[in-house]
Amino acid sequence: MGINVDLIFKIGGIGILLSVLHSVLQKAGKEEWAYAANLVGIVLVLTMVIKEVSNLFDTVKTMFNLY
């Protein structure tokens, strides 16, 4: 059972992409689209994290025979 750093890199990549996209859209005068893109990114990252937390809880249930 090793440390999975893929999730960290995915979240970091999404963050970098969103910050660049936000800057470009803001400079183009599309502030509403910039905030919408940030919101979509936050939802995407939260879904990824929630999935991993769910997997963690399933593992804990299996470990302690809580089914």
Side-chain angles (χ1 to χ4, degrees):
M1 199 166 143
I3 299 174
N4 188 3
V5 294
D6 291 342
L7 181 66
I8 296 170
F9 285 135
K10 285 179 186 177
I11 291 173
I14 290 171
I16 292 170
L17 180 68
L18 283 175
S19 65
V20 169
L21 184 62
H22 183 82
S23 297
V24 168
L25 288 172
Q26 201 169 25
K27 298 260 184 194
K30 307 284 184 184
E31 287 85 12
E32 300 87 14
W33 286 103
Y35 290 118
N38 281 340
L39 185 61
V40 168
I42 289 171
V43 168
L44 181 65
V45 168
L46 280 177
T47 352
M48 292 166 54
V49 170
I50 287 172
K51 186 176 87 172
E52 291 299 320
V53 169
S54 173
N55 289 341
L56 172 68
F57 284 144
D58 287 342
T59 303
V60 168
K61 284 180 186 177
T62 303
M63 258 179 155
F64 294 109
N65 296 323
L66 297 175
Y67 281 139

